[in-house]
Amino acid sequence: MSKFGSALFNRLVIIIPYAWLLFFFLIPFFIVIRISLSETAVAMPPYLPVFDLASGIGGFIDNIKQFSIDNYIWLTEDALYAKAYGSSLWIAAVSTFLTLLIAYPVAYGMAQAPNTIRPTLLMLVILPFWTSFLIRVYAWIAILKPEGLFNQLLLTLGLIDQPLIILNTNWAIYIGIVYSYLPFMVLPIYSSLEKMDHSLTEAAQDLGCTPIRAFWRVTFPLSMPGVVAGCMLVFIPAVGEFVIPDLLGGSETLMIGKTLWNEFNANRDWPVSAAVATILLLILVVPIMFFQHAQAKADGEGR
Amino acid sequence: MKSLGSIRRSFAPWADPKSVPFIAVKNVTKKFGDFVAVDDLSLNIYPREFFALLGASGCGKSTLLRMLAGFEQPTSGEIILDGQSLAGIPPYKRPVNMMFQSYALFPHMTVENNIAFGLKQDGMPKADIAERVDQMLKLVKLDKFSKRKPHQLSGGQRQRVALARSLAKRPKVLLLDEPLGALDKKLREETQFELMDLQQELGLTFVVVTHDQEEAMTMADRIAVMAHGKVVQVATPPEIYEAPNSRFVADFIGDVNIFDGTVSSVGNGTVEIATETGFTVRVASSEPPAVGAKAGFAVRPEKIRVGRDRPACAPLNAAQGEIWDIGYLGDMTVFHVKLKDGKVIKASSLNAVRAVEDPLGYDQEVWISFDENAGVVLKD
Ligand SMILES: Nc1ncnc2c1ncn2[C@@H]1O[C@H](COP(=O)(O)OP(=O)(O)OP(=O)(O)O)[C@@H](O)[C@H]1O
Ligand SMILES: [Mg+2]
C-alpha cells in the first residue's frame, strides 16, 4: 500500500470508534436532552415543541424559544428525586464493594490455577449468561422468599427459628446485583492478575515479605487497573438498574431506574424522565472524567 | 587432578582442607513429578567466592538456585548455609537475596522504592534507608534515575536496578540468575567487570547462573559445569579449560578437537594413543589409562601448529592434511584442516604481525603438529 494510502487507512480506522460514538451515543443523547427541555403534551410524541421541516427556519427558531429548563427545576423541587439518586448511588456502591469482595478471591484463585484448567474456569464464570437474566432474577425470588429455599435450609439446620425477611429489602437487591454482575468484576481482575509475572511475588518474598505482605504490597496494587475496570463495569449499570430493584426490592426501595420507569410509563412524562436520565449521566460521567484526568496526570508525573 | 599452578588471585579456600564451606549442598535431588531436575548433587561454596553454575538450557541451574533462595524445596538431601540447615526456612527468612533472570522489578514503584523495598520490610529507620538507597544508586551509577519507573529505563539500567535492589540488604549470599542475559555484548563485558569489582568490594559470596561459558570464565573463581541435573566438574576456569575431566566438559567449554583411539604404550608420565585418524599421539598424563584401553585425546585449536614443513616430531603428534577453510577473525585466523582420513580439525593462530609473506592458502598441503603437553587424555 502506498504511503498516502496507509495514512488514509489509519485515519479511517480512527474514524470508526468516533462514528460509533456519534451515532449511538451523542446523537441519541442530544435527542434525550432536547426532550428534557420540552414540555409534556397529550399528543404523539407526548411533548412539545415538535420540529417540523415544513415550518422552515422561522418555525425552527420559534421552537427553540419554547425550550425551558423547567423540568430540571422540578427535579430539584421534589425531594423524591434527590433521595432516589442518593439511594441509587449508595446501593450501587455497597453492591460494588460486595461484588469486589467476592470476585477478587475468585479471580485470584483462577489466576493461580494450573494452565490446563483455566479455560474451564473461565467458561464456568460466564456460564450463567447462557440463561435469561430475567429468569435468573426470578429464581432468586424463589430462593429468598420467607418460605423459600434459603430460609428452609437455615430452618432445617436449626440456625434460625423464624424465617428471615430478605426478599423486598435492600439485602435482596444487593444479592441480586452481586450475583448478576459478578462476572463483570471477575473477568477484568482475572485478566490483570493472570498476566502478572509470578517472579514479582517471589522477588517480594526474597526481599523479606511474608506471602500476605507480598500480596498487599505487590500483587494487589498491580491488579488495580482490573479492580477499577471491574468496579466501573458493576457500579455504572448498577446505579441505573431497574429490573433487580423492581423484582427483588420492596415497594419503599427508591432507585432512580424505577423512578425513571414510573415517569416514562405510568406518568407518560417523557420530558421529566429525559431530565432524570440526563442528570444520571452527568452524575456518572463527570466524576469518571475527573478520575481519568487525575490518573493520566499521575502517570505523566513519573516520566 | 593436577593443578595448573597460579590462579588469578591467591584465593583458593577449596584447596585448603581446613576451610569450612559457606554453602554446602549435600546430595540434593529435586523431582518435578517423575522428572529429575537436580540429581543427587553435592557442592561446596566458600565465603567470598564467586561461583558460577554453567550448563546447557534445562540442566537444572535455575532449579538449584531456587532451592538456595527457598522457592523450591529439595525432594531429598540438605542445604547448609553458614552452618545452619535451610530445610523449612521460607525465602523471606533466608539471609540470601536473588537477582532474577527477568529482573522482576516492581513496575508500580520508582527505582528508589524498588531498592528500598527490602529495607522497609526489615523496619530500618527512614533516614538509614535513604542513606543506603543513595549509596546503592551511586554504586550502580543510577543516581539521576531514582524517581523513574522501571518501564522508563533501558534494559541495562533495569538490570542495574535489579542488582542494587538485591544488594541493598547486604545479603550474605547473592544469587544471580543469568544476570547479564539481556544485555548486548559490549555492555555485558563491562558489567562483568563491574560485578567482579563489586563482589570484591563488598566481600560477598556470589553464585551466578549462566549458560555463557565466556562469562563464567571471566567472572568466576570456580565453575561448576552441570549436565542433566548433575555436576560434571567443579574447577577454576583455567583447570576447566586446560584439564577438562570428561569429553562433555572438553566439548562444552570452548572449541576442541577430539581424537579417539587405543592406548598403545604407557611410559614415564606419558601415554601413547594410536588414533583412529591414523597417527599416534604422545601425551603427558599423570594418571594414564591401561594399555589397550579406549581413550580420547583432546586438544584446543590454539595449541595446534599449522605449517608447510614436516615438523621435527613427526610421525608422533603430527599429521598431514590440506587446508579446507580459512576464517580470518582479525586478532587470529582459524584454519580448518582436512586430514588424510577426511576428519576436519580446527587450528587457530594468533596474527602477531600485520602482513605475513606468502600466507597459507586454500587447498594447500600442510602439516599439523602439537606438543606433548598441548592436550589431555579423556578416559570416557
Ligand atoms: N516447576 C516445574 N515443574 C516441572 N518441571 C520443571 C519446573 N521447573 C523446572 N522444571 C524442569 O526442570 C528442568 C531444569 O529447569 P531449570 O529451570 O533449572 O533449567 P536451567 O538450567 O535454568 O535452564 P535455562 O538455562 O534454560 O534457564 C527443565 O527441564 C524444566 O523443564
Ligand atoms: Mg534458568
Side-chain angles (χ1 to χ4, degrees), chain A residues 202 206-207 213 217 302, chain B residues 66 97-98 121 152 169:
Chain A
E202 284 187 346
D206 188 61
L207 292 166
R213 280 194 69 102
R217 298 217 40 201
Chain B
R66 291 170 57 79
N97 280 142
M98 177 142 157
Q121 292 316 308
Q152 296 158 336
K169 287 183 78 171

Side-chain angles (χ1 to χ4, degrees), chain B residues 41 53-56 59-61 64 224-232 248:
Chain B
L41 186 146
L53 293 167
L54 181 63
C59 70
K61 307 178 299 280
L64 178 59
V225 180
M226 286 180 67
H228 308 297
K230 287 183 190 290
V231 166
V232 187
F248 177 83

Side-chain angles (χ1 to χ4, degrees), chain B residues 32 35 37 56-63 72 101 178 211:
Chain B
F32 294 108
F35 180 79
S57 186
C59 70
K61 307 178 299 280
S62 296
T63 306
E72 307 280 1
Q101 195 161 359
E178 312 231 356
H211 56 230

Side-chain angles (χ1 to χ4, degrees), chain B residues 251-271:
Chain B
D251 211 22
F252 190 74
I253 309 278
D255 273 332
V256 73
N257 300 294
I258 298 182
F259 298 95
D260 287 308
T262 316
V263 176
S264 55
S265 75
V266 177
N268 68 38
T270 63
V271 186

